[in-house]
Short mmCIF file of all heavy atoms in Angstrom, two decimals:
data_model
loop_
_atom_site.label_atom_id
_atom_site.label_comp_id
_atom_site.label_asym_id
_atom_site.label_seq_id
_atom_site.Cartn_x
_atom_site.Cartn_y
_atom_site.Cartn_z
N PHE A 39 77.74 378.55 68.76
CA PHE A 39 77.32 378.86 70.24
C PHE A 39 75.86 378.55 70.42
O PHE A 39 75.46 378.86 71.56
CB PHE A 39 77.63 380.31 70.40
CG PHE A 39 79.22 380.71 70.37
CD1 PHE A 39 79.63 381.19 69.19
CD2 PHE A 39 80.04 380.42 71.42
CE1 PHE A 39 81.04 381.63 69.05
CE2 PHE A 39 81.38 380.62 71.27
CZ PHE A 39 81.81 381.33 70.06
N LEU A 40 75.19 378.10 69.58
CA LEU A 40 73.75 377.82 69.77
C LEU A 40 73.47 376.54 70.67
O LEU A 40 74.28 375.45 70.37
CB LEU A 40 72.95 377.79 68.53
CG LEU A 40 72.80 378.96 67.72
CD1 LEU A 40 72.14 378.68 66.36
CD2 LEU A 40 72.06 380.03 68.52
N ARG A 41 72.66 376.55 71.56
CA ARG A 41 72.27 375.29 72.40
C ARG A 41 71.40 374.45 71.44
O ARG A 41 70.59 374.92 70.67
CB ARG A 41 71.63 375.67 73.61
CG ARG A 41 72.47 376.21 74.65
CD ARG A 41 71.78 376.43 76.07
NE ARG A 41 70.55 377.20 75.93
CZ ARG A 41 69.64 377.33 76.85
NH1 ARG A 41 69.63 376.61 77.92
NH2 ARG A 41 68.66 378.15 76.75
N ASN A 42 71.46 373.19 71.69
CA ASN A 42 70.54 372.23 70.98
C ASN A 42 69.18 372.13 71.66
O ASN A 42 69.13 371.40 72.70
CB ASN A 42 71.25 370.82 70.96
CG ASN A 42 70.44 369.82 70.09
OD1 ASN A 42 69.57 370.37 69.31
ND2 ASN A 42 70.78 368.62 70.23
N VAL A 43 68.27 372.83 71.23
CA VAL A 43 66.94 372.86 71.76
C VAL A 43 65.88 372.15 70.82
O VAL A 43 65.89 372.49 69.71
CB VAL A 43 66.53 374.32 72.08
CG1 VAL A 43 65.14 374.40 72.63
CG2 VAL A 43 67.50 375.06 73.01
N THR A 44 65.24 371.32 71.48
CA THR A 44 64.18 370.55 70.69
C THR A 44 62.78 370.98 71.18
O THR A 44 62.61 371.61 72.28
CB THR A 44 64.46 369.12 70.96
OG1 THR A 44 64.32 368.70 72.31
CG2 THR A 44 65.73 368.56 70.41
N ASP A 45 61.79 370.60 70.43
CA ASP A 45 60.40 370.85 70.86
C ASP A 45 60.00 370.18 72.14
O ASP A 45 59.19 370.54 72.94
CB ASP A 45 59.45 370.47 69.79
CG ASP A 45 59.61 371.31 68.53
OD1 ASP A 45 60.01 372.47 68.70
OD2 ASP A 45 59.31 370.89 67.41
N ALA A 46 60.67 368.99 72.35
CA ALA A 46 60.33 368.20 73.58
C ALA A 46 60.85 368.92 74.87
O ALA A 46 60.17 368.95 75.84
CB ALA A 46 61.08 366.86 73.45
N ASP A 47 61.98 369.57 74.65
CA ASP A 47 62.47 370.47 75.86
C ASP A 47 61.56 371.55 76.16
O ASP A 47 61.25 371.79 77.41
CB ASP A 47 63.88 370.92 75.59
CG ASP A 47 65.02 369.78 75.34
OD1 ASP A 47 64.68 368.70 75.90
OD2 ASP A 47 65.85 370.04 74.48
N ILE A 48 61.09 372.30 75.15
CA ILE A 48 60.22 373.39 75.39
C ILE A 48 58.86 372.86 76.00
O ILE A 48 58.32 373.51 76.96
CB ILE A 48 59.97 374.16 74.07
CG1 ILE A 48 61.25 374.72 73.55
CG2 ILE A 48 58.93 375.22 74.20
CD1 ILE A 48 61.17 375.33 72.16
N LEU A 49 58.29 371.74 75.46
CA LEU A 49 57.07 371.30 75.96
C LEU A 49 57.21 370.87 77.42
O LEU A 49 56.33 371.05 78.16
CB LEU A 49 56.57 370.12 75.07
CG LEU A 49 56.09 370.46 73.73
CD1 LEU A 49 55.80 369.13 72.87
CD2 LEU A 49 54.83 371.38 73.80
N ALA A 50 58.28 370.15 77.76
CA ALA A 50 58.61 369.76 79.19
C ALA A 50 58.60 370.99 80.00
O ALA A 50 58.04 370.95 81.21
CB ALA A 50 59.86 368.87 79.25
N LEU A 51 59.32 371.97 79.68
CA LEU A 51 59.37 373.13 80.58
C LEU A 51 58.08 373.90 80.65
O LEU A 51 57.78 374.47 81.76
CB LEU A 51 60.43 374.14 79.95
CG LEU A 51 60.99 375.10 80.90
CD1 LEU A 51 61.64 374.53 82.23
CD2 LEU A 51 62.03 376.04 80.13
N GLU A 52 57.31 374.01 79.52
CA GLU A 52 56.05 374.63 79.68
C GLU A 52 55.02 373.78 80.47
O GLU A 52 54.22 374.44 81.26
CB GLU A 52 55.41 374.73 78.20
CG GLU A 52 56.19 375.78 77.33
CD GLU A 52 55.56 375.85 75.99
OE1 GLU A 52 54.87 374.92 75.55
OE2 GLU A 52 55.86 376.86 75.29
N ARG A 53 55.25 372.39 80.50
CA ARG A 53 54.43 371.63 81.35
C ARG A 53 54.76 371.87 82.88
O ARG A 53 53.82 372.02 83.68
CB ARG A 53 54.62 370.16 80.98
CG ARG A 53 53.65 369.22 81.66
CD ARG A 53 53.86 367.76 81.24
NE ARG A 53 53.55 367.73 79.82
CZ ARG A 53 54.58 367.32 78.84
NH1 ARG A 53 55.78 367.16 79.31
NH2 ARG A 53 54.30 367.15 77.70
N ARG A 54 56.03 371.89 83.13
CA ARG A 54 56.38 372.40 84.54
C ARG A 54 55.75 373.81 84.91
O ARG A 54 55.53 373.99 86.12
CB ARG A 54 58.04 372.39 84.59
CG ARG A 54 58.57 370.98 84.65
CD ARG A 54 60.09 371.16 84.95
NE ARG A 54 60.36 371.94 86.08
CZ ARG A 54 61.60 372.29 86.39
NH1 ARG A 54 62.49 372.26 85.63
NH2 ARG A 54 61.77 372.94 87.54
N LEU A 55 55.87 374.63 84.05
CA LEU A 55 55.32 376.09 84.28
C LEU A 55 53.87 375.97 84.48
O LEU A 55 53.38 376.68 85.45
CB LEU A 55 55.71 376.92 83.04
CG LEU A 55 55.17 378.31 83.26
CD1 LEU A 55 55.72 379.08 84.48
CD2 LEU A 55 55.48 379.17 82.03
N LEU A 56 53.11 375.17 83.69
CA LEU A 56 51.69 375.08 83.97
C LEU A 56 51.38 374.33 85.31
O LEU A 56 50.35 374.83 86.00
CB LEU A 56 51.06 374.29 82.81
CG LEU A 56 51.00 375.08 81.56
CD1 LEU A 56 50.45 374.09 80.33
CD2 LEU A 56 50.21 376.38 81.57
N GLN A 57 52.04 373.34 85.59
CA GLN A 57 51.91 372.62 86.92
C GLN A 57 52.20 373.61 88.04
O GLN A 57 51.44 373.62 89.09
CB GLN A 57 52.87 371.48 87.01
CG GLN A 57 52.45 370.33 86.11
CD GLN A 57 53.54 369.17 86.07
OE1 GLN A 57 54.53 369.18 86.71
NE2 GLN A 57 53.17 368.04 85.41
N THR A 58 53.18 374.40 87.97
CA THR A 58 53.50 375.48 89.02
C THR A 58 52.40 376.43 89.08
O THR A 58 51.92 376.76 90.25
CB THR A 58 54.79 376.18 88.74
OG1 THR A 58 55.89 375.14 88.52
CG2 THR A 58 55.15 377.00 89.82
N MET A 59 51.81 376.85 87.99
CA MET A 59 50.71 377.85 88.08
C MET A 59 49.53 377.25 88.65
O MET A 59 48.81 377.88 89.47
CB MET A 59 50.41 378.34 86.65
CG MET A 59 51.65 379.12 86.03
SD MET A 59 52.07 380.58 86.90
CE MET A 59 50.59 381.53 86.77
N ASP A 60 49.24 375.97 88.30
CA ASP A 60 48.19 375.17 88.93
C ASP A 60 48.28 375.09 90.46
O ASP A 60 47.31 375.37 91.29
CB ASP A 60 47.96 373.78 88.49
CG ASP A 60 47.48 374.00 86.98
OD1 ASP A 60 46.86 374.98 86.47
OD2 ASP A 60 47.64 373.00 86.28
N MET A 61 49.48 374.88 91.01
CA MET A 61 49.78 374.81 92.36
C MET A 61 49.57 376.22 93.06
O MET A 61 48.97 376.29 94.06
CB MET A 61 51.18 374.29 92.71
CG MET A 61 51.37 372.82 92.24
SD MET A 61 53.09 372.35 92.33
CE MET A 61 53.33 372.50 94.15
N ILE A 62 49.91 377.26 92.36
CA ILE A 62 49.81 378.55 92.86
C ILE A 62 48.34 378.84 93.13
O ILE A 62 47.81 379.43 94.03
CB ILE A 62 50.56 379.65 92.09
CG1 ILE A 62 52.04 379.47 92.02
CG2 ILE A 62 50.19 381.04 92.47
CD1 ILE A 62 52.75 380.35 91.11
N VAL A 63 47.51 378.59 91.97
CA VAL A 63 46.17 378.90 92.06
C VAL A 63 45.41 378.06 93.19
O VAL A 63 44.65 378.58 93.80
CB VAL A 63 45.50 378.60 90.65
CG1 VAL A 63 44.01 378.54 90.75
CG2 VAL A 63 45.97 379.57 89.67
N SER A 64 45.78 376.77 93.39
CA SER A 64 45.05 376.07 94.34
C SER A 64 45.45 376.49 95.68
O SER A 64 44.59 376.58 96.58
CB SER A 64 45.57 374.59 94.25
OG SER A 64 46.96 374.43 94.39
N LYS A 65 46.72 376.88 95.95
CA LYS A 65 47.12 377.36 97.35
C LYS A 65 46.42 378.72 97.56
O LYS A 65 45.93 378.95 98.72
CB LYS A 65 48.63 377.46 97.43
CG LYS A 65 49.33 376.09 97.44
CD LYS A 65 50.75 376.16 97.71
CE LYS A 65 51.44 374.88 97.75
NZ LYS A 65 50.85 374.01 98.84
N LYS A 66 46.33 379.69 96.54
CA LYS A 66 45.74 380.96 96.69
C LYS A 66 44.24 380.66 96.96
O LYS A 66 43.52 381.47 97.79
CB LYS A 66 45.96 381.78 95.60
CG LYS A 66 47.23 382.37 95.44
CD LYS A 66 47.44 383.40 94.31
CE LYS A 66 48.67 384.12 94.39
NZ LYS A 66 48.82 385.14 93.25
N LYS A 67 43.62 379.70 96.46
CA LYS A 67 42.25 379.38 96.60
C LYS A 67 42.03 378.93 98.02
O LYS A 67 40.96 379.29 98.67
CB LYS A 67 41.70 378.26 95.64
CG LYS A 67 40.31 377.83 95.75
CD LYS A 67 39.87 376.83 94.72
CE LYS A 67 38.46 376.57 94.81
NZ LYS A 67 38.01 375.47 93.85
N ARG A 68 43.02 378.21 98.67
CA ARG A 68 42.77 377.72 99.98
C ARG A 68 42.98 378.84 101.01
O ARG A 68 42.23 378.96 101.87
CB ARG A 68 44.03 376.76 100.31
CG ARG A 68 43.76 375.36 99.64
CD ARG A 68 45.05 374.42 99.89
NE ARG A 68 45.40 374.40 101.34
CZ ARG A 68 46.42 373.73 101.80
NH1 ARG A 68 47.30 373.21 100.95
NH2 ARG A 68 46.56 373.70 103.12
N ILE A 69 43.87 379.83 100.61
CA ILE A 69 43.91 381.03 101.46
C ILE A 69 42.66 381.82 101.28
O ILE A 69 42.19 382.37 102.43
CB ILE A 69 45.23 381.90 100.97
CG1 ILE A 69 46.35 381.15 101.23
CG2 ILE A 69 45.17 383.16 101.69
CD1 ILE A 69 47.68 381.86 100.70
N ALA A 70 42.14 381.96 100.16
CA ALA A 70 40.89 382.76 100.06
C ALA A 70 39.70 382.01 100.73
O ALA A 70 38.83 382.77 101.51
CB ALA A 70 40.45 382.93 98.59
N VAL A 71 39.67 380.74 100.74
CA VAL A 71 38.60 380.02 101.41
C VAL A 71 38.77 380.11 102.96
O VAL A 71 37.72 380.33 103.67
CB VAL A 71 38.62 378.59 101.00
CG1 VAL A 71 37.66 377.79 102.04
CG2 VAL A 71 38.19 378.38 99.68
N ALA A 72 40.01 380.13 103.36
CA ALA A 72 40.22 380.16 104.82
C ALA A 72 39.99 381.70 105.35
O ALA A 72 39.28 381.85 106.42
CB ALA A 72 41.74 379.98 105.21
N HIS A 73 40.18 382.70 104.55
CA HIS A 73 39.83 384.05 104.79
C HIS A 73 38.32 384.30 104.86
O HIS A 73 37.78 384.87 105.75
CB HIS A 73 40.39 385.10 103.90
CG HIS A 73 41.91 385.40 104.13
ND1 HIS A 73 42.30 385.96 105.34
CD2 HIS A 73 43.04 385.11 103.50
CE1 HIS A 73 43.60 386.20 105.35
NE2 HIS A 73 44.19 385.64 104.06
N ARG A 74 37.66 383.60 104.00
CA ARG A 74 36.20 383.74 103.89
C ARG A 74 35.49 383.08 105.20
O ARG A 74 34.54 383.53 105.71
CB ARG A 74 35.58 383.09 102.64
CG ARG A 74 34.10 383.25 102.52
CD ARG A 74 33.61 382.70 101.18
NE ARG A 74 33.77 381.17 101.22
CZ ARG A 74 33.44 380.45 100.17
NH1 ARG A 74 32.92 380.96 99.04
NH2 ARG A 74 33.69 379.11 100.31
N THR A 75 36.11 381.87 105.55
CA THR A 75 35.64 381.18 106.66
C THR A 75 35.82 382.01 108.00
O THR A 75 34.99 382.01 108.85
CB THR A 75 36.39 379.80 106.78
OG1 THR A 75 36.11 378.96 105.76
CG2 THR A 75 35.76 379.10 107.97
N MET A 76 37.10 382.54 108.08
CA MET A 76 37.29 383.45 109.20
C MET A 76 36.42 384.71 109.27
O MET A 76 35.94 385.05 110.29
CB MET A 76 38.71 383.98 109.20
CG MET A 76 39.70 382.84 109.44
SD MET A 76 41.50 383.29 109.10
CE MET A 76 41.57 384.61 110.40
N PHE A 77 36.09 385.17 108.08
CA PHE A 77 35.20 386.38 107.97
C PHE A 77 33.81 385.97 108.36
O PHE A 77 32.99 386.70 109.08
CB PHE A 77 35.13 386.96 106.64
CG PHE A 77 34.17 388.13 106.40
CD1 PHE A 77 34.64 389.43 106.84
CD2 PHE A 77 33.07 388.03 105.77
CE1 PHE A 77 33.85 390.51 106.77
CE2 PHE A 77 32.18 389.14 105.66
CZ PHE A 77 32.63 390.34 106.13
N GLN A 78 33.40 384.77 107.98
CA GLN A 78 32.00 384.43 108.34
C GLN A 78 31.84 384.09 109.88
O GLN A 78 30.75 384.19 110.38
CB GLN A 78 31.58 383.01 107.64
CG GLN A 78 31.45 383.32 106.07
CD GLN A 78 31.14 381.99 105.31
OE1 GLN A 78 31.29 380.96 105.77
NE2 GLN A 78 30.82 382.15 103.98
N ARG A 79 33.03 383.61 110.44
CA ARG A 79 32.94 383.31 111.89
C ARG A 79 33.07 384.60 112.69
O ARG A 79 33.04 384.55 113.99
CB ARG A 79 33.99 382.35 112.26
CG ARG A 79 33.82 380.89 111.71
CD ARG A 79 35.03 380.10 112.09
NE ARG A 79 34.81 378.71 111.69
CZ ARG A 79 35.75 377.82 111.68
NH1 ARG A 79 36.95 378.02 112.32
NH2 ARG A 79 35.50 376.55 111.32
N GLY A 80 33.44 385.75 112.06
CA GLY A 80 33.61 387.04 112.78
C GLY A 80 34.97 387.10 113.31
O GLY A 80 35.05 387.91 114.29
N GLU A 81 35.99 386.35 112.88
CA GLU A 81 37.22 386.49 113.44
C GLU A 81 38.06 387.55 112.85
O GLU A 81 39.12 387.80 113.31
CB GLU A 81 38.06 385.15 113.18
CG GLU A 81 37.33 383.99 113.83
CD GLU A 81 38.09 382.62 113.61
OE1 GLU A 81 39.09 382.70 113.00
OE2 GLU A 81 37.69 381.62 114.08
N VAL A 82 37.52 388.19 111.79
CA VAL A 82 38.30 389.38 111.29
C VAL A 82 37.94 390.69 111.87
O VAL A 82 38.80 391.41 112.31
CB VAL A 82 37.98 389.29 109.68
CG1 VAL A 82 38.80 390.58 109.09
CG2 VAL A 82 38.51 388.02 109.10
N HIS A 83 36.63 390.97 111.91
CA HIS A 83 36.29 392.29 112.53
C HIS A 83 35.97 392.25 113.85
O HIS A 83 36.05 393.24 114.57
CB HIS A 83 34.95 392.82 111.62
CG HIS A 83 35.24 393.06 110.19
ND1 HIS A 83 36.00 394.07 109.80
CD2 HIS A 83 34.93 392.28 109.15
CE1 HIS A 83 36.09 394.00 108.46
NE2 HIS A 83 35.42 393.03 108.02
N ASN A 84 35.47 391.08 114.43
CA ASN A 84 35.13 390.95 115.83
C ASN A 84 36.10 390.21 116.65
O ASN A 84 36.04 389.01 116.91
CB ASN A 84 33.74 390.30 115.94
CG ASN A 84 32.61 391.02 115.33
OD1 ASN A 84 32.71 392.26 115.30
ND2 ASN A 84 31.68 390.23 114.71
N LYS A 85 37.30 390.88 116.77
CA LYS A 85 38.42 390.17 117.50
C LYS A 85 38.03 390.07 118.91
O LYS A 85 37.56 391.02 119.56
CB LYS A 85 39.68 390.97 117.24
CG LYS A 85 40.15 390.87 115.72
CD LYS A 85 41.49 391.57 115.57
CE LYS A 85 42.06 391.54 114.23
NZ LYS A 85 43.33 392.12 113.95
N PRO A 86 38.34 389.02 119.55
CA PRO A 86 37.99 388.82 120.96
C PRO A 86 38.90 389.82 121.83
O PRO A 86 40.06 389.92 121.62
CB PRO A 86 38.26 387.36 121.21
CG PRO A 86 39.26 386.97 120.24
CD PRO A 86 38.95 387.71 119.04
N THR A 87 38.33 390.24 122.90
CA THR A 87 39.02 391.14 123.84
C THR A 87 38.79 390.54 125.19
O THR A 87 38.10 389.64 125.51
CB THR A 87 38.38 392.54 123.71
OG1 THR A 87 37.01 392.44 124.19
CG2 THR A 87 38.49 393.10 122.39
N GLY A 88 39.66 391.19 126.10
CA GLY A 88 39.72 390.61 127.48
C GLY A 88 40.57 389.41 127.67
O GLY A 88 41.23 388.84 126.82
N PHE A 89 40.65 389.00 129.01
CA PHE A 89 41.42 387.82 129.31
C PHE A 89 40.95 386.59 128.72
O PHE A 89 41.81 385.93 128.05
CB PHE A 89 41.44 387.64 130.86
CG PHE A 89 42.31 386.64 131.38
CD1 PHE A 89 43.70 386.63 131.20
CD2 PHE A 89 41.63 385.40 131.75
CE1 PHE A 89 44.46 385.54 131.72
CE2 PHE A 89 42.41 384.26 132.15
CZ PHE A 89 43.80 384.42 132.19
N TRP A 90 39.67 386.30 128.77
CA TRP A 90 39.17 385.05 128.12
C TRP A 90 39.23 385.12 126.59
O TRP A 90 39.45 384.08 125.96
CB TRP A 90 37.74 384.76 128.63
CG TRP A 90 37.59 384.51 130.02
CD1 TRP A 90 37.13 385.37 131.12
CD2 TRP A 90 38.03 383.38 130.72
NE1 TRP A 90 37.22 384.80 132.32
CE2 TRP A 90 37.73 383.46 132.05
CE3 TRP A 90 38.55 382.15 130.30
CZ2 TRP A 90 38.03 382.52 133.09
CZ3 TRP A 90 38.95 381.18 131.28
CH2 TRP A 90 38.64 381.41 132.56
N GLY A 91 39.06 386.29 126.00
CA GLY A 91 39.27 386.39 124.64
C GLY A 91 40.65 386.07 124.09
O GLY A 91 40.92 385.46 123.16
#
Side-chain angles (χ1 to χ4, degrees):
F39 296 102
L40 292 177
R41 289 189 299 169
N42 187 16
V43 178
T44 60
D45 294 332
D47 298 333
I48 297 177
L49 290 176
L51 196 60
E52 288 179 346
R53 192 177 296 113
R54 286 183 57 192
L55 179 60
L56 290 176
Q57 291 175 354
T58 304
M59 297 300 294
D60 290 338
M61 293 174 63
I62 292 174
V63 170
S64 64
K65 290 183 180 296
K66 285 188 174 182
K67 185 178 180 180
R68 287 175 57 187
I69 294 175
V71 170
H73 279 297
R74 186 180 65 180
T75 304
M76 293 172 61
F77 180 78
Q78 290 176 352
R79 292 177 179 176
E81 297 179 1
V82 176
H83 297 287
N84 300 324
K85 293 183 178 180
T87 57
F89 178 76
W90 293 107

